[in-house]
Amino acid sequence: MRTVEEHQAAVAALLPRLPEERVPLAEAHGRVLARDVTAAVALPGFDNSAMDGYAARWDEVGGATERPVRLPVAEDIPAGRSDVVPLAPGTVHRIMTGAPLPPGADVVVPVELTDGGTGQVEIRDSPAAGTHLRRAGEDIAAGAVALSAGSALGAAQLGLAAAVGLTDVPVRRRPRVLVLSTGSELVAPGEPLAPGQIYESNSLLLAAAVEEAGGLPRRLHFVPDDVDQFLATVRAELATADLLITSGGVSAGAYEVVKDAFRGLGTVEFGKVAMQPGGPQGAGTVDGVPVVTLPGNPVSAFVSFEVFVRPALRRALGHASPDRLRAPARLTGPLRSPAGRRQFLRGYVEGGEVSQVGGPGSHLVAHLARANCLVVVPEDVTELTAGAEVDVVLIEGALR
């Protein structure tokens, strides 16, 4: 029986780093940088005002904290003005937020500390010298690394890339992932159910998980429990895939089509991992394409994807931090766990406390939908009391 870490390493070894491509910023949301990118310009690009107010010399207005100072307003400087003239002694310039600071000014007096005059202004108080000024390059200097390789490009990162003058970015190509559910008992949702049939859900669950991890999923449906037909269907689709994920057909039953088909090829290894749910696992290649076989129960498939496939996909994409965030939490109630297997229990964590959601059964998908974390119980722990500290893996998708 493999350890969790041994099977994680086996799956990760199947997926090399994906090739690089350049994409426009408008198409880069959610992508992962393949290389460092540098700032084409400094931020800010010039000294500017952090407030609406008056650009002044502090030695002329600093006394306003004790007695109001009246000075003529020599210029108006809106944001975007480029012909800014130096500040003449004994005057102020009315200035807007983001507008260029006139040479000679060393403080901006907020309009709230004045009477708001346009020809002449009364300054009734003054901040310290250097206040409300944004100096050129104080955020980032031109030529400095703006975003590092491995950064996921969210809203803030794309905003920065645009602000420093980038039009496109080098990213890792998204992996093309085939998702296939097996089982003659499976029926498309919405169709009538005959006795013994169930609605197929794993392919949608896993395709969504692939997309959340950064991949491009494509679903293959309802391959019956027939080895020849299964292999023919798979091989017809593999040429355009970077990874095949199957669910079902890998346990110890008499009709395990995935195991029967791939074992004959000799390139996929099957076994058990010391975990619950998700013990039966397989990994290898078919026609040179990486294949990961997951168990068929929905919770087992989900947990197996989270533990093995998601981090491998994110490493292939170049994520600097491929793993889910983890946090300590205290149990709200006691729990038991079988010896020798790492448990991944559904939980709901809030305010540093975590409660178990539903039982350990791998068919309880409604409870999975209400969880926002997985509670990790080590292999050598069989019992925990209320208040005990546990490690939780934070996941999305909780319904509460």
Side-chain angles (χ1 to χ4, degrees):
M1 187 176 290
R2 274 182 173 172
T3 66
V4 170
E5 287 77 16
E6 286 170 343
H7 196 62
Q8 283 175 329
V11 173
L14 294 173
L15 295 170
R17 193 65 59 90
L18 290 154
E20 177 183 325
E21 62 183 4
R22 296 196 74 91
V23 298
L25 284 188
E27 300 172 16
H29 186 226
R31 305 294 293 272
V32 183
L33 274 182
R35 290 181 286 108
D36 293 352
V37 293
T38 57
V41 297
L43 290 180
F46 48 86
D47 294 348
N48 67 85
S49 175
M51 298 285 287
D52 293 336
Y54 297 86
R57 285 183 164 83
W58 187 84
D59 60 4
E60 295 178 350
V61 300
T65 54
E66 298 176 0
R67 179 179 298 176
V69 173
R70 296 187 67 84
L71 291 170
V73 179
E75 294 281 344
D76 257 353
I77 313 177
R81 180 172 171 179
S82 57
D83 59 339
V84 176
V85 299
L87 179 66
T91 68
V92 297
H93 291 182
R94 192 168 69 142
I95 193 168
M96 303 301 125
T97 302
L101 192 72
D106 60 2
V107 69
V108 171
V109 181
V111 68
E112 293 84 356
L113 302 182
T114 74
D115 65 356
T118 56
Q120 189 174 59
V121 65
E122 181 177 274
I123 297 172
R124 298 164 179 166
D125 199 354
S126 176
T131 303
H132 304 311
L133 308 181
R134 300 167 177 166
R135 293 299 184 186
E138 71 175 28
D139 191 5
I140 187 170
V145 173
L147 294 166
S148 300
S151 297
L153 296 173
Q157 292 74 27
L158 291 174
L160 171 60
V164 298
L166 300 177
T167 59
D168 54 36
V169 284
V171 296
R172 296 288 172 189
R173 179 175 62 74
R174 297 178 69 186
R176 300 162 299 194
V177 182
L178 289 174
V179 177
L180 181 140
S181 292
T182 63
S184 297
E185 77 279 14
L186 301 178
V187 176
E191 296 293 323
L193 287 175
Q197 292 183 327
I198 61 173
Y199 288 128
E200 195 278 322
S201 61
N202 278 3
S203 69
L204 185 61
L205 180 154
L206 291 170
V210 166
E211 192 166 20
E212 287 178 2
L216 294 170
R218 185 158 62 89
R219 297 160 64 198
L220 300 177
H221 291 274
F222 314 126
V223 178
D225 291 335
D226 178 89
V227 168
D228 292 336
Q229 189 171 345
F230 174 84
L231 278 177
T233 301
V234 167
R235 285 181 143 154
E237 303 288 345
L238 282 178
T240 59
D242 298 301
L243 172 66
L244 168 67
I245 301 173
T246 68
S247 66
V250 295
S251 295
Y255 300 99
E256 305 297 342
V257 65
V258 175
K259 184 184 288 187
D260 294 342
F262 288 164
R263 264 187 172 167
L265 300 179
T267 55
V268 180
E269 183 179 357
F270 295 91
K272 287 197 172 183
V273 177
M275 63 184 283
Q276 192 178 41
Q281 301 286 339
T285 62
V286 173
D287 298 343
V289 177
V291 173
V292 178
T293 68
L294 308 179
N297 276 317
V299 178
S300 296
F302 176 83
V303 170
S304 299
F305 182 92
E306 283 289 320
V307 175
F308 302 118
V309 184
R310 185 179 191 275
L313 283 175
R314 285 168 60 85
R315 284 189 183 90
L317 280 164
H319 275 276
S321 301
D323 297 322
R324 291 279 196 193
L325 292 176
R326 292 184 173 231
R330 297 200 175 276
L331 288 171
T332 60
L335 62 81
R336 294 179 179 273
S337 181
R341 284 174 170 78
R342 190 175 307 178
Q343 282 279 340
F344 294 90
L345 301 171
R346 285 139 287 182
Y348 193 88
V349 62
E350 188 172 27
E353 292 187 327
V354 63
S355 54
Q356 189 173 344
V357 177
S362 57
H363 63 294
L364 302 175
V365 69
H367 292 132
L368 176 64
R370 292 179 172 86
N372 69 355
C373 70
L374 296 175
V375 181
V376 184
V377 184
E379 292 87 336
D380 58 350
V381 174
T382 59
E383 190 171 352
L384 290 167
T385 60
E389 187 174 283
V390 292
D391 195 27
V392 300
V393 180
L394 303 178
I395 58 175
E396 296 89 4
L399 298 176
R400 272 208 185 180

